[in-house]
Amino acid sequence: MELDVKDEPVVFPFIGYYGTGRLWGDRRLRSELPLHPAGRATRYAGYRDCLDPRSNEKHMRDWIARLALIQAQRRIQLATLSAVYEAIAACVEGARAAEFDLKENDIVVEFEDGAHFPLGFLSDGQRSMVALAADIAMRCAQLNPHLNDGARLETPGVVLIDELDLHLHPSWQRHVVEDLMEAFTKLQFVATTHSPFFVQSMRRGGGVINLDRKDGDPEKIREKSIEDIAEDIMGVAQPQHSRRYMEMLKAAERYYTAIDDAAAACDPAEIEKLRNCLDELEEPFADDPAYVAFLRAQRAAKGRE
């Protein structure tokens, strides 16, 4: 059944959820709605398994392949297929264009350096974004075929994505949000992340909610640095230093304290106990000769070698 108001088709909103396993574990469709390239058989195909956390890459590729075959046979340009290609190119870093290659029997992405790679040869991050962008664009076209190539730009709705930064390089994480918002202008994206680069990119039309805060108020990002975001929002103590550096710093502080205690000690048993303590503090850093040599130099200076 199609709903019309004054002979104008009603715009169906997009609803979708993509989980952390969206790249793997392709599953069978639970429903058996007919697959039609332009979505005219039933617009409800756009809601098929839309809340399953695993995007169905096979279904998306089959849909695109069927459109590509029709386009080749009829020698026409299908607006809905072009919209899907445009969405892929807009959301994959460094991509210039995309198309379905009938010889390769796969989606092929062309990059700005002139390289062409089929979907199966892309990195996990690239594959994930191709599948995500193509699946959203496909569903928008199925839900609102009357919008033609404007479906991805005119379809409203909500997209839930768990760990949007999954498999993406930090430089890509800094603009992936903007890419999605420009490719799908009327969709609202709600995503989770553990990346400070992703959080820092939230400049326009979005907010950051820290799920560890009880009040639920949005975080104030403004011009915060990566270190500030990691420390103030994500609770990482002194993110500018590695964990090993912090362990070495704490060990050195305890080492100096033990040296001072040994220098002031008179009881041979206490001195031996402190000497053993110094040996234990050195042991975890035996792979760093310069650091151990520095500690022993401090130890010798106090006469407790």
Side-chain angles (χ1 to χ4, degrees):
M1 179 182 68
E2 300 292 345
L3 299 178
D4 296 310
V5 178
K6 295 182 180 179
D7 298 325
E8 295 268 341
V10 172
V11 174
F12 283 10
F14 177 96
I15 302 174
Y17 169 51
Y18 301 89
T20 55
R22 53 187 176 271
L23 193 59
W24 313 110
D26 202 23
R27 78 280 185 248
R28 290 184 178 180
L29 296 172
R30 290 193 298 267
S31 54
E32 295 298 333
L33 294 174
L35 179 65
H36 189 283
R40 285 188 288 271
T42 170
R43 295 171 63 186
Y44 297 108
Y47 292 127
R48 172 168 30 189
D49 296 321
C50 65
L51 296 181
D52 192 305
R54 299 165 295 174
S55 63
N56 193 297
E57 184 179 304
K58 182 179 183 303
H59 174 64
M60 176 268 295
R61 289 171 67 178
D62 288 347
W63 186 85
I64 292 176
R66 186 169 296 189
L67 260 71
L69 184 59
I70 291 173
Q71 183 171 267
Q73 289 176 337
R74 298 181 182 178
R75 297 181 181 180
I76 58 174
Q77 192 74 23
L78 296 178
T80 52
L81 185 58
S82 297
V84 174
Y85 293 158
E86 290 169 2
I88 293 174
C91 294
V92 176
E93 186 177 47
R96 181 165 57 191
E99 66 176 356
F100 191 89
D101 191 309
L102 295 175
K103 292 182 179 180
E104 292 281 351
N105 193 33
D106 201 354
I107 300 170
V108 175
V109 179
E110 178 186 355
F111 291 88
E112 293 173 353
D113 60 1
H116 293 71
F117 292 102
L119 186 60
F121 283 81
L122 297 179
S123 69
D124 287 350
Q126 291 168 329
R127 282 185 58 199
S128 176
M129 288 307 298
V130 168
L132 178 66
D135 191 73
I136 294 175
M138 176 194 72
R139 292 179 184 275
C140 288
Q142 290 176 326
L143 291 169
N144 299 298
H146 58 285
L147 296 178
N148 297 313
D149 59 340
R152 71 178 177 90
L153 299 174
E154 297 299 325
T155 298
V158 178
V159 186
L160 306 177
I161 307 174
D162 197 8
E163 301 291 352
L164 178 55
D165 55 283
L166 195 66
H167 304 302
L168 302 185
H169 188 277
S171 64
W172 193 352
Q173 293 173 19
R174 284 185 158 179
H175 60 81
V176 63
V177 174
E178 293 287 337
D179 295 343
L180 286 169
M181 293 175 66
E182 290 176 3
F184 306 99
T185 53
K186 288 194 175 181
L187 292 180
Q188 178 185 10
F189 290 90
V190 180
T192 62
T193 184
H194 286 95
S195 167
F197 297 99
F198 180 95
V199 173
Q200 190 187 51
S201 72
M202 299 300 295
R203 306 285 187 184
R204 177 178 65 85
V208 176
I209 302 296
N210 188 342
L211 297 180
D212 292 329
R213 288 182 56 174
K214 295 182 180 179
D215 55 21
D217 292 337
E219 295 285 354
K220 295 180 180 179
I221 305 300
R222 295 180 182 174
E223 301 301 323
K224 282 183 177 289
S225 67
I226 291 296
E227 291 83 0
D228 290 339
I229 292 171
E231 187 167 9
D232 300 338
I233 297 178
M234 296 186 164
V236 179
Q238 295 187 314
Q240 63 271 28
H241 298 304
S242 68
R243 180 177 178 180
R244 181 172 174 81
Y245 176 90
M246 297 303 299
E247 290 174 350
M248 292 172 71
L249 187 63
K250 290 179 181 179
E253 291 173 351
R254 291 176 59 194
Y255 198 89
Y256 295 152
T257 300
I259 288 176
D260 291 338
D261 291 344
C266 297
D267 183 7
E270 181 66 17
I271 293 174
E272 182 64 24
K273 180 180 178 181
L274 290 169
R275 183 179 291 114
N276 293 335
C277 177
L278 292 172
D279 291 338
E280 291 176 1
L281 288 170
E282 291 176 3
E283 185 177 357
F285 308 102
D287 60 338
D288 192 336
Y291 180 72
V292 173
F294 175 77
L295 293 180
R296 289 181 178 175
Q298 303 302 310
R299 183 173 175 176
K302 291 289 186 178
R304 291 302 177 185
E305 184 59 55

